[in-house]
């Protein structure tokens, strides 16, 4: 009976709209708060793995004027799906393929200046790197991301899929999903000469990334631009 109802629902539900407008602008600002961003190109591997109509925008954000060993650095990217929904997936899959081990995952709230609250997923990740003296050193980092639809955002890939299903049936909306992300290294086990950045522990790194997201999100995410 349940299967029959499901078939009927799919048969008579309205067809999803064609490719919708993305819920984000297809750009990252050059200046975000105290950070200045330099353009980065998508890697050949990224271009190979993602569908051809995927939009990928990347910037390396740094804090200028702080001298050697006093700067912060974070890498931001924005992936926007085209017609092929394979563009949007769990970032955990790519991180694992790049040799990162996820040590913890939490959802964090970022309060915008408007009072709006954005939820993001924070992944603590780690892998070993080979130093010039041939010793191995654990490299730690935080990777934060969230998904943005037509008029909604979520830090959960499962919730994103459920929203897509519900809205395609009940609202005749085909979300053109995007996912912004920001990644920064934890540098407290590296010298400023090794990292080119100031020493930051986990808490300080999280605080720095959230500060950048607080500046970036209202500049790229349409529903936050219109927040009161």
């Amino acid at each position: 009976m349940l299967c029959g109802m499901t078939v009927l629902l799919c048969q008579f539900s309205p067809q999803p709209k064609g490719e919708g407008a993305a819920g984000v602008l297809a750009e990252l600002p050059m200046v975000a708060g105290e950070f200045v961003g330099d353009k980065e190109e998508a890697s050949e591997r990224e271009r190979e793995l993602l569908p051809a109509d995927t939009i990928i925008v990347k910037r390396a954000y740094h804090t200028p004027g702080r001298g050697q060993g006093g700067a912060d650095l974070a890498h931001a990217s924005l992936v926007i799906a085209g017609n092929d929904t394979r563009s949007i997936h769990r970032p955990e899959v790519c991180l694992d393929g790049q040799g990162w081990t996820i040590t913890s995952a939490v959802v964090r709230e970022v309060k915008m200046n408007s009072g709006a609250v954005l939820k993001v997923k924070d992944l603590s990740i780690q892998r070993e790197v080979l130093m010039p003296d041939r010793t191995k050193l654990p490299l730690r980092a935080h990777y934060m991301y969230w998904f943005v639809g037509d008029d909604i955002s979520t830090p959960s890939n499962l919730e994103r899929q459920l929203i897509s299903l519900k809205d395609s049936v009940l609202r005749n909306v085909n979300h053109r999903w995007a996912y912004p992300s920001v990644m920064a290294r934890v540098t407290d086990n590296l010298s400023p000469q090794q990292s080119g950045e100031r020493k930051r522990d986990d808490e300080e790194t999280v605080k720095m990334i959230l500060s950048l997201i607080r500046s970036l999100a209202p500049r790229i995410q349409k529903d936050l631009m219109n927040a009161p």
Side-chain angles (χ1 to χ4, degrees):
M1 185 175 179
L2 179 60
C3 290
M5 291 176 63
T6 303
V7 170
L8 287 174
L9 181 62
C10 293
Q11 180 70 28
F12 294 105
S13 62
Q15 292 297 313
K17 296 176 182 177
E19 180 181 297
V24 296
L25 302 181
E27 60 185 27
L28 291 170
M30 186 174 69
V31 178
E34 61 179 338
F35 295 87
V36 175
D38 299 321
K39 280 189 176 182
E40 293 186 314
E41 296 298 326
S43 68
E44 288 297 323
R45 186 61 175 161
E46 287 172 318
R47 293 295 184 190
E48 288 173 3
L49 292 176
L50 295 175
D53 60 353
T54 305
I55 297 174
I56 307 173
V57 184
K58 304 175 76 172
R59 282 189 184 271
Y61 284 96
H62 62 94
T63 48
R66 293 190 179 180
Q68 175 68 26
D72 285 323
L73 174 66
H75 296 271
S77 69
L78 179 60
V79 178
I80 305 174
N83 287 319
D84 193 328
T85 58
R86 290 178 303 157
S87 302
I88 306 300
H89 54 273
R90 293 171 60 248
E92 288 88 337
V93 176
C94 291
L95 291 171
D96 182 68
Q98 295 169 9
W100 291 99
T101 297
I102 298 171
T103 57
S104 69
V106 297
V107 174
R108 299 189 184 276
E109 293 187 347
V110 189
K111 188 171 183 179
M112 304 290 121
N113 292 332
S114 65
V117 175
L118 174 69
K119 291 184 178 182
V120 302
K121 178 72 70 66
D122 174 15
L123 302 178
S124 296
I125 56 179
Q126 180 175 312
R127 70 180 180 186
E128 284 191 337
V129 291
L130 188 64
M131 304 303 291
D133 62 1
R134 310 302 296 174
T135 60
K136 290 184 177 180
L137 191 68
L139 178 64
R140 292 147 43 226
H142 283 267
Y143 184 100
M144 298 193 195
Y145 71 89
W146 67 103
F147 299 102
V148 184
D150 178 54
D151 53 1
I152 196 168
S153 68
T154 174
S156 166
N157 188 59
L158 175 59
E159 185 177 18
R160 177 185 72 83
Q161 293 173 322
L162 293 174
I163 290 170
S164 292
L165 177 62
K166 175 178 68 71
D167 285 354
S168 67
V169 172
L170 300 181
R171 298 174 58 200
N172 196 25
V173 171
N174 182 26
H175 289 281
R176 184 183 177 189
W177 288 99
Y179 81 83
S181 65
V182 179
M183 177 178 173
R185 296 180 296 179
V186 179
T187 55
D188 58 1
N189 65 330
L190 302 170
S191 69
Q193 291 72 32
Q194 289 173 318
S195 68
E197 304 175 56
R198 69 180 175 99
K199 280 181 171 286
R200 290 187 313 270
D201 59 20
D202 277 274
E203 183 178 349
E204 291 169 320
T205 302
V206 167
K207 184 178 179 181
M208 183 267 286
I209 296 175
L210 293 178
S211 174
L212 177 55
I213 292 175
R214 188 175 294 109
S215 297
L216 275 179
R219 303 280 301 278
I220 64 173
Q221 191 167 322
K222 294 177 182 177
D223 63 334
L224 293 177
M225 294 177 187
N226 301 323

